[in-house]
C-alpha cells in the first residue's frame, strides 16, 4: 500500500512545482497549492481506509514518514498564506520586524515541543508504537487538544507534530529568504542613493589636518572610540588625498604663535556670517 502513497506524493510534488513555476504571486501560489494538497490528502486517506496495513511497521512508517510529507506541505502553505495576508504596509524596517516576529513563533513551538523534537530528530523508535499507531495514544504524553477532534481512523497522536516540524523547517527557510531579500533591497537602495558628484578637498592639507584633530578631540566618530589614525585614513580615502606626516603637521599647528586653530576659527566666522545673512538661508 505504501507504494501507492509514494506515487501520490510524487504526483503532488510535480503539481506543486508546476504551480511554483507558473504563479508569481505568493498568496495565489499558496491558495492553489492548498487546493491540490487537500485533494491529495483525501486520495491517500481513501487508500488507507480501503487497504489498511498488513503489519504494524507499515502503519508506523506511514504515519511517521509518509503522511507528514503531505500534511507538512498543507501546514506550510497555510502559514505562509496567513503571513502574507497579514503582512503590514510599511518600509523595510517594519517588514524586518514582522518577519523576525514570525521566526520567534517558530522558536516558541520548538521550545514547547523540545522533548518530542529531540526524539524525532535523533531517529529514536522506542515510542513509535504509541506515537504512530492509531488508537495507541497515551494521555501521559501530553497530547494536544486537537488530537481528540481529529479523525482517529486517519490520525495518530503525533503524526501531525512530525508534520509541524517538517513544515517549520520550510517556514523558517521562507522567512529567512524574505529577510535576505529585504536586506539586499536595502543595500541596493543605499547604493542608488550615492551622490552623482565627487567632492574633492580643495583646501590646504594643513586645514584638513586641523579639522581632523578637532573632530577627533570632540569624539564625534564611533562615540569617541575612533582612533586618530583610522580617521586620518578615512579622510585620505574619501577625499583621495595624502595627508603625509599629519602628526608633524599638527605639531607645527600647535606651535603657531597666533590663532593656533586658524581654520576652525575661520569655519566659525563663516557659519556665523551665514546665519546672520537671512537671504543665504533660503
Amino acid at each position: 500500500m505504501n507504494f501507492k502513497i509514494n506515487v501520490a506524493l510524487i504526483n503532488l510534488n510535480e503539481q506543486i512545482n508546476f504551480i511554483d513555476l507558473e504563479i508569481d504571486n505568493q498568496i495565489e501560489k499558496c491558495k492553489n497549492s492548498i487546493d491540490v494538497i487537500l485533494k491529495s490528502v483525501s486520495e491517500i486517506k481513501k487508500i488507507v481506509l480501503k487497504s489498511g496495513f498488513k503489519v504494524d511497521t507499515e502503519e508506523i512508517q506511514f504515519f511517521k514518514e509518509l503522511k507528514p510529507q503531505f500534511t507538512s506541505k498543507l501546514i506550510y502553505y497555510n502559514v505562509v498564506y496567513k503571513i502574507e495576508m497579514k503582512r503590514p504596509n510599511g518600509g523595510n524596517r517594519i517588514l524586518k520586524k514582522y518577519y523576525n516576529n514570525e521566526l520567534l513563533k517558530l522558536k516558541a513551538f520548538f521550545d514547547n515541543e523540545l522533548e518530542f523534537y529531540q526524539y524525532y530528530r535523533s531517529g529514536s523508535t522506542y515510542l513509535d508504537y504509541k506515537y504512530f499507531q492509531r488508537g495507541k495514544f497515551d494521555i501521559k504524553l501530553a497530547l494536544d487538544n486537537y488530537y481528540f477532534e481529529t479523525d482517529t481512523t486517519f490520525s495518530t497522536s503525533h503524526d501531525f507534530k512530525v508534520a509541524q516540524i517538517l513544515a517549520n523547517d520550510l517556514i523558517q527557510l521562507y522567512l529567512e529568504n524574505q529577510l535576505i531579500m529585504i536586506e539586499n533591497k536595502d543595500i541596493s537602495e543605499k547604493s542608488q542613493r550615492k551622490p552623482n558628484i565627487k567632492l574633492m578637498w580643495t583646501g590646504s592639507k594643513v586645514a584638513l589636518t586641523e579639522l581632523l584633530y578637532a573632530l577627533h578631540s570632540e569624539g564625534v566618530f564611533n562615540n569617541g572610540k575612533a582612533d586618530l589614525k583610522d580617521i586620518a585614513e578615512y579622510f585620505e580615502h574619501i577625499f583621495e588625498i595624502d595627508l603625509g606626516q599629519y602628526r608633524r603637521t599638527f605639531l607645527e599647528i600647535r606651535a603657531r604663535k597666533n590663532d593656533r586653530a586658524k581654520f576652525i576659527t575661520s569655519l566659525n566666522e563663516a557659519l556665523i556670517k551665514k546665519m546672520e545673512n537671512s537671504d543665504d538661508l533660503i
Side-chain angles (χ1 to χ4, degrees), residues 58-105:
E58 187 180 37
E59 181 178 12
I60 290 172
Q61 182 191 19
F62 173 78
F63 286 108
K64 185 177 184 179
E65 300 175 15
L66 297 177
K67 183 188 173 187
Q69 293 189 60
F70 292 83
T71 47
S72 63
K73 292 177 175 59
L74 188 61
I75 296 169
Y76 167 74
Y77 283 106
N78 188 46
V79 170
V80 171
Y81 176 80
K82 291 179 180 179
I83 288 173
E84 293 305 314
M85 286 294 291
K86 295 178 181 178
R87 185 178 64 180
N89 293 322
N92 293 344
R93 183 180 62 82
I94 293 174
L95 288 177
K96 281 182 182 179
K97 182 178 180 181
Y98 176 68
Y99 286 125
N100 277 313
N101 284 339
E102 292 299 321
L103 284 172
L104 290 176
K105 293 179 183 178

Side-chain angles (χ1 to χ4, degrees), residues 201 206-216 235 263-264 267:
W201 180 266
V206 175
L208 185 56
T209 301
E210 186 179 322
L211 178 62
L212 163 68
Y213 272 85
L215 294 172
H216 178 257
F235 274 34
F263 181 63
I264 303 301
L267 285 179

Side-chain angles (χ1 to χ4, degrees), residues 12-212:
L12 175 60
N13 286 331
E14 289 178 350
Q15 292 180 72
I16 290 177
N17 288 337
F18 179 78
I19 291 171
D20 188 54
L21 291 172
E22 290 294 311
I23 302 176
D24 292 327
N25 182 277
Q26 189 62 52
I27 292 175
E28 289 301 315
K29 187 181 295 186
C30 289
K31 289 166 63 177
N32 281 267
S33 297
I34 289 171
D35 285 342
V36 300
I37 295 168
L38 286 173
K39 291 176 183 177
S40 187
V41 170
S42 177
E43 177 187 341
I44 64 170
K45 181 178 180 179
K46 290 178 182 178
I47 294 173
V48 168
L49 297 183
K50 181 180 179 180
S51 303
F53 301 101
K54 296 179 180 179
V55 292
D56 290 347
T57 54
E58 187 180 37
E59 181 178 12
I60 290 172
Q61 182 191 19
F62 173 78
F63 286 108
K64 185 177 184 179
E65 300 175 15
L66 297 177
K67 183 188 173 187
Q69 293 189 60
F70 292 83
T71 47
S72 63
K73 292 177 175 59
L74 188 61
I75 296 169
Y76 167 74
Y77 283 106
N78 188 46
V79 170
V80 171
Y81 176 80
K82 291 179 180 179
I83 288 173
E84 293 305 314
M85 286 294 291
K86 295 178 181 178
R87 185 178 64 180
N89 293 322
N92 293 344
R93 183 180 62 82
I94 293 174
L95 288 177
K96 281 182 182 179
K97 182 178 180 181
Y98 176 68
Y99 286 125
N100 277 313
N101 284 339
E102 292 299 321
L103 284 172
L104 290 176
K105 293 179 183 178
L106 298 182
K107 184 179 183 304
F109 172 82
F110 170 81
D111 292 339
N112 290 333
E113 302 292 344
L114 181 59
E115 184 176 351
F116 178 72
Y117 187 91
Q118 292 174 335
Y119 173 87
Y120 175 73
R121 287 301 193 197
S122 66
S124 298
T125 58
Y126 61 92
L127 287 175
D128 281 2
Y129 72 101
K130 287 187 177 182
Y131 286 153
F132 304 112
Q133 283 190 278
R134 293 166 296 177
K136 299 292 182 68
F137 72 89
D138 187 339
I139 195 66
K140 295 190 294 295
L141 297 176
L143 300 179
D144 293 326
N145 290 332
Y146 76 83
Y147 171 70
F148 299 102
E149 301 174 2
T150 59
D151 182 354
T152 54
T153 64
F154 191 59
S155 300
T156 68
S157 63
H158 284 69
D159 69 88
F160 189 75
K161 285 188 178 182
V162 173
Q164 283 183 302
I165 291 173
L166 298 177
N168 283 355
D169 288 343
L170 297 174
I171 296 166
Q172 180 179 344
L173 182 61
Y174 174 81
L175 293 171
E176 289 174 347
N177 284 338
Q178 294 302 307
L179 289 168
I180 289 172
M181 286 192 290
I182 293 172
E183 190 67 31
N184 290 338
K185 185 179 178 182
D186 275 342
I187 295 172
S188 176
E189 289 176 351
K190 287 177 182 178
S191 64
Q192 291 174 3
R193 289 198 297 265
K194 287 183 178 179
N196 294 324
I197 61 172
K198 185 175 182 62
L199 294 178
M200 302 295 294
W201 180 266
T202 54
S204 69
K205 292 184 180 181
V206 175
L208 185 56
T209 301
E210 186 179 322
L211 178 62
L212 163 68

